[in-house]
Amino acid sequence: MINKTVKNAHEAVEDIPSDCMLMMGGFGLTGIPENCISALLERNISGLTIVSNNAGVDDFGIGLLLRKRMVKKMISSYVGENAEFERQLLSGELEVDLIPQGTLAERVRAGGAGIPAFFTPAGVGTEVAEGKESREFDGKMYLLESWLKADFSIVKAWKGDTAGNLIFKGTARNFNPMMAAAGKICIAEVEELVQAGELHPNEIHTPGIYVQRIFQGENYQKRIEQRTVSS
Amino acid sequence: MLTKDQIARRIAKEVKNGQYINLGIGIPTLVANYIPDELEVVLQSENGLLGIGPFPTEDQIDPDLINAGKQTVTMVKGSALFNSAESFAMIRGGHVHLTILGAMEVSQNGDIANWKIPGKMVKGMGGAMDLVASADNIIVAMQHCSRSGESKLLTECSLPITGLRCVKKIVTDLAVLEISPDGGFILQERAPGVSVEEIKEKTAGKLIIGGEVPEMVFE
């Protein structure tokens, strides 16, 4: 088996350049690559275009990269919960491309799967449709949407092995598997890294072919945005 | 006038046995509390879960298990987890039967606006555009009027559209209304103590009244 292991987050992100296109897994703060975000904060880079469903919160996740002004553009579906984000957007410092969540997921999937474009019903008749080709199939209108690919994708999994195979936990899976495939170089950080052969092949969510670098992360905070308990 | 919980209770009566249902953020999330126990339904969360259970107790909280509103949740027996592309495949593929969501405006032909206020709010559409473009049955839960007293049931939406001609039914704090295929809000029920006159006054779009309008019944 090809060994994909790198020492830590710093080594994993050390060659990510300014002005590149970066994908980051996660939904809200669940399943985000906390260690790589911390390591990126110590790099002196800027002008990043980040594809991520959300933009973190003011003091955690991608919010930290925004605060350090490392991000030129966000490609996301929902960016609430982040005052600094809103400030940069309204002042014109930050560009944002808002995309329906299912279209975002499918564009990333298409990027990793070698499908340059596809038709979807989401956004027909809305601002999202502006400038896009539309076509009727079986009496209903659809929009042509294109693939999304990235120079680097950074994902977070629960367990991984040295061959890059990944298993996710709960709803922390979200965008991570598609992003793994859509990045030219995929960096995976995992809570538990084991030797190839120790994960059961039947249980792998993301096959190692998509992953170029893997390391075991540490000190996961796993912040909760909406702690809701039953009364 | 209905409280938010009463709106949710009324919408729960629309739920049918065997349905897979997506509940939006806000009042729609409350609907889960009022679905009768004898109905077998499965709640879908677009971040990758079929079979949303009740909110967890303190010792059940798992940061890796949230709903689309980013609230901590639990899973029922028979749940399934999946990625976001698969989640929206089941939504666009028509496998989710019922979508219940909030709105800022609904037009009399069933257009919905709920994702953007130009110059003011730039949070994004999340999964709403995919959901309203795909589900066969879409029910909106909202207040009849905005905080400033403007009707939210309009001839045409003034805010940026989320989806065209997709809403089937609206439950507000004042009334239950169905969208007529020919355009217009068909008044079906009024909230206890609310007059037809008041609903007329607070509905800016075309209101269709066919005879006696019954009061909602809460068992």
Side-chain angles (χ1 to χ4, degrees):
Chain A
M1 274 292 160
I2 305 166
N3 192 331
K4 312 278 177 75
T5 313
V6 294
K7 203 165 67 210
N8 53 31
H10 295 279
E11 187 184 330
V13 306
E14 69 183 1
D15 60 344
I16 294 180
S18 287
D19 305 309
C20 77
M21 178 105 161
L22 200 58
M23 285 181 182
M24 281 195 189
F27 183 100
L29 299 178
T30 298
I32 61 170
E34 294 184 16
N35 280 239
C36 284
I37 290 171
S38 297
L40 279 170
L41 284 170
E42 294 173 25
R43 297 278 323 281
N44 188 22
I45 54 173
S46 62
L48 301 173
T49 294
I50 299 183
V51 182
S52 168
N53 187 57
N54 312 92
V57 294
D58 276 319
D59 61 349
F60 201 57
I62 291 172
L64 297 170
L65 304 175
L66 288 165
R67 208 158 63 175
K68 240 193 115 188
R69 314 291 289 275
M70 297 168 77
V71 186
K72 181 182 73 179
K73 182 176 180 179
M74 286 298 308
I75 300 178
S76 306
S77 87
Y78 188 83
V79 292
E81 278 76 75
N82 193 322
E84 174 63 12
F85 180 98
E86 201 152 351
R87 190 198 65 72
Q88 289 187 20
L89 179 63
L90 294 173
S91 69
E93 295 161 58
L94 180 72
E95 288 173 58
V96 178
D97 198 357
L98 290 170
I99 297 177
Q101 194 174 132
T103 300
L104 181 64
E106 192 63 14
R107 288 181 67 186
V108 175
R109 196 197 72 80
I115 303 287
F118 58 90
F119 282 96
T120 177
V124 169
T126 74
E127 282 179 14
V128 166
E130 284 167 18
K132 286 178 188 152
E133 184 184 335
S134 59
R135 199 184 293 181
E136 190 179 316
F137 294 91
D138 291 343
K140 186 170 165 174
M141 293 306 290
Y142 295 82
L143 292 183
L144 186 66
E145 294 280 2
S146 61
W147 59 9
L148 272 174
K149 294 191 274 191
D151 301 304
F152 290 84
S153 62
I154 307 179
V155 303
K156 151 76 181 30
W158 180 37
K159 292 178 184 175
D161 67 19
T162 52
N165 295 306
L166 304 177
I167 295 175
F168 301 92
K169 177 169 164 266
T171 53
R173 194 180 320 181
N174 52 65
F175 285 77
N176 282 297
M178 291 81 71
M179 288 184 171
K184 250 181 244 144
I185 293 175
C186 170
I187 299 162
E189 59 173 84
V190 300
E191 287 175 58
E192 188 186 348
L193 181 66
V194 300
Q195 291 301 312
E198 289 183 36
L199 299 178
H200 198 291
N202 270 331
E203 291 169 0
I204 303 296
H205 294 134
T206 292
I209 188 170
Y210 300 121
V211 175
Q212 281 67 45
R213 300 172 190 173
I214 191 167
F215 67 94
Q216 181 168 305
E218 54 188 18
N219 302 324
Y220 282 101
Q221 290 190 37
K222 296 198 182 184
R223 283 208 207 165
I224 295 172
E225 277 182 78
Q226 305 284 340
R227 175 179 285 267
T228 314
V229 293
S230 56
S231 44
Chain B
M1 271 179 27
L2 302 186
T3 62
K4 287 178 179 181
D5 273 284
Q6 285 174 314
I7 295 174
R9 265 177 80 184
R10 176 59 192 80
I11 291 179
K13 291 170 78 172
E14 304 291 323
V15 171
K16 295 185 180 66
N17 197 40
Q19 282 183 324
Y20 287 85
I21 305 168
N22 183 289
L23 301 178
I25 297 163
I27 300 173
T29 304
L30 300 174
V31 173
N33 300 337
Y34 301 104
I35 297 173
D37 288 340
E38 62 270 25
L39 295 188
E40 300 273 353
V41 299
V42 179
L43 302 180
Q44 200 252 17
S45 192
E46 64 263 29
N47 56 323
L49 167 61
L50 269 174
I52 307 171
F55 292 124
T57 58
E58 278 292 343
D59 53 352
Q60 285 176 324
I61 284 182
D62 178 356
D64 289 324
L65 199 63
I66 60 169
N67 65 16
K70 292 152 192 155
Q71 295 170 305
T72 43
V73 292
T74 58
M75 294 187 280
V76 298
K77 279 182 186 165
S79 283
L81 295 158
F82 36 86
N83 68 50
S84 299
E86 172 110 48
S87 178
F88 283 92
M90 54 185 82
I91 289 167
R92 285 187 311 262
H95 307 283
V96 174
H97 305 110
L98 174 62
T99 288
I100 300 167
L101 76 174
M104 297 173 194
E105 295 176 349
V106 176
S107 81
Q108 62 192 28
N109 62 7
D111 298 350
I112 178 172
N114 73 349
W115 75 281
K116 185 181 185 182
I117 304 173
K120 270 192 193 163
M121 189 197 84
V122 283
K123 292 185 189 304
M125 68 290 279
M129 284 192 183
D130 309 87
L131 283 158
V132 300
S134 308
D136 280 339
N137 192 8
I138 294 166
I139 300 177
V140 164
M142 67 176 190
Q143 305 299 324
H144 211 93
C145 295
S146 68
R147 283 201 191 116
S148 56
E150 308 280 331
S151 177
K152 295 166 75 173
L153 292 91
L154 308 172
T155 312
E156 276 178 45
C157 291
S158 65
L159 294 170
I161 294 286
T162 307
L164 294 174
R165 297 179 174 275
C166 52
V167 176
K168 298 289 190 295
K169 193 172 264 194
I170 306 147
V171 179
T172 74
D173 50 339
L174 303 182
V176 178
L177 310 107
E178 212 174 84
I179 298 290
S180 162
D182 306 318
F185 301 102
I186 304 169
L187 182 56
Q188 292 189 312
E189 296 172 26
R190 55 202 169 78
V194 172
S195 68
V196 171
E197 280 312 307
E198 182 179 353
I199 296 165
K200 249 190 212 168
E201 194 184 305
K202 292 180 173 170
T203 305
K206 180 181 167 192
L207 188 68
I208 301 168
I209 303 164
E212 197 69 17
V213 180
E215 257 189 19
M216 291 176 209
V217 180
F218 290 98
E219 287 88 16

